Amino acid sequence: MNGKVAREDLDSRIFDTLNMILLIICTVVILVPLWNVIISSFSSGKALAEGGFIFWSPEFSLENYRAVFNDQGIWQAFFISVSKTTIGVVTHVFFCAMVGYGLSKKYIRGRKLYVAMGVITMFFSGGMIPTYLLIKSLGLLNSFWVYIIPALFSFYDVVILMNFFRNVPDSLEESAKIDGAGDWHIFLKIFIPLSMPAMATIALFNGVGQWNDFMTTKLYITDQSLYPLQMMLYEIIVQSQTQSMQNVGGSAVIETTTKGVQLATIVITTLPIVLIYPIVQRYFISGMMLGAVKE
């Protein structure tokens, strides 16, 4: 008996050690490139030209960030990114919550048909060209609302909220109706506060998607005043690649200075998500687990 316990204890220690080693390896693989990008963004053009450093730059400089913040287009792009992410997240979560609340009620006529239609949209889409023609016919080309209206609905998020709403006791809704509350009052005052973990999870997913999205701009926007940060970063990368091709055999300082601005822009565009994620992290696991449970 003692030998079996000792063997199980040894197996547990080996398993914990292997998990710790794997965790350390994964942490190093993730953090080292991230740290190198941050350090490189604070490096001078000369240091970037010479290269050869990973953890510490031989020559620090703030010129890359000065170049970024002195560009008025960056501030406009930052405003567009913040606006479309904020408005997009609020409208998307609220719209999906309304649909999920309705579909969570078994007495709704045609509920199974609506669910089946929603499931189909999770696997099939109209394609890029038909979608472009639809956006054009709606008059959303070169419009800020092209970031908001097409992203209002996601049936995957509706399923999460629908299953979450089903876990709310029916007695709460029945007692509210006895007191004279209507559907809107029940939805806004009871279901919305109780579903904050699930809604925060969906807001995190949608917010990251909205913040990182540049394909919508590339496909539907030609007005540079509507460019978000990610599109500006894309333009900087393309320009740096073009400059590097044109300066083959020429000055390396121009190329690496452009690279420094590119790295500084990457850090700036990544920073908001890194700062916001810890705030909603406590809702993340509970929202995913509760919303994924099905009766």
Side-chain angles (χ1 to χ4, degrees), residues 86-248:
T86 303
I87 298 174
V89 167
V90 172
T91 54
H92 174 86
V93 172
F94 187 74
F95 188 79
C96 289
M98 287 194 299
V99 178
Y101 174 73
L103 294 179
S104 67
K105 307 303 177 185
K106 295 182 179 180
Y107 57 81
I108 298 295
R109 293 183 179 179
R111 184 176 67 90
K112 293 184 178 180
L113 175 62
Y114 298 144
V115 171
M117 293 171 60
V119 170
I120 292 175
T121 64
M122 296 173 64
F123 298 97
F124 302 99
S125 65
M128 184 179 294
I129 295 177
T131 303
Y132 178 86
L133 295 176
L134 175 63
I135 296 297
K136 182 179 180 180
S137 65
L138 292 175
L140 295 177
L141 294 181
N142 279 325
S143 170
F144 175 80
W145 297 106
V146 76
Y147 297 125
I148 309 300
I149 295 177
L152 273 178
F153 184 78
S154 170
F155 194 74
Y156 176 81
D157 296 339
V158 170
V159 170
I160 293 177
L161 289 168
M162 180 174 61
N163 290 324
F164 192 95
F165 290 148
R166 287 176 180 174
N167 293 323
V168 177
D170 294 335
S171 57
L172 289 176
E173 184 175 359
E174 292 172 357
S175 61
K177 287 184 177 180
I178 292 175
D179 292 336
D183 289 329
W184 275 108
H185 184 86
I186 294 172
F187 172 67
L188 294 176
K189 299 297 183 180
I190 297 178
F191 280 83
I192 290 295
L194 291 177
S195 62
M196 287 306 296
M199 297 182 70
T201 303
I202 292 173
L204 176 63
F205 281 145
N206 186 257
V208 172
Q210 280 276 15
W211 184 265
N212 292 330
D213 177 45
F214 78 96
M215 280 302 298
T216 300
T217 308
K218 191 168 178 60
L219 292 174
Y220 309 123
I221 301 293
T222 57
D223 185 1
Q224 292 189 359
S225 63
L226 293 175
Y227 278 10
L229 270 176
Q230 298 299 332
M231 191 62 189
M232 293 292 293
L233 176 58
Y234 174 80
E235 293 287 334
I236 291 173
I237 293 173
V238 171
Q239 290 175 8
S240 65
Q241 292 175 347
T242 304
Q243 278 192 349
S244 64
M245 294 176 63
Q246 293 176 350
N247 289 280
V248 174

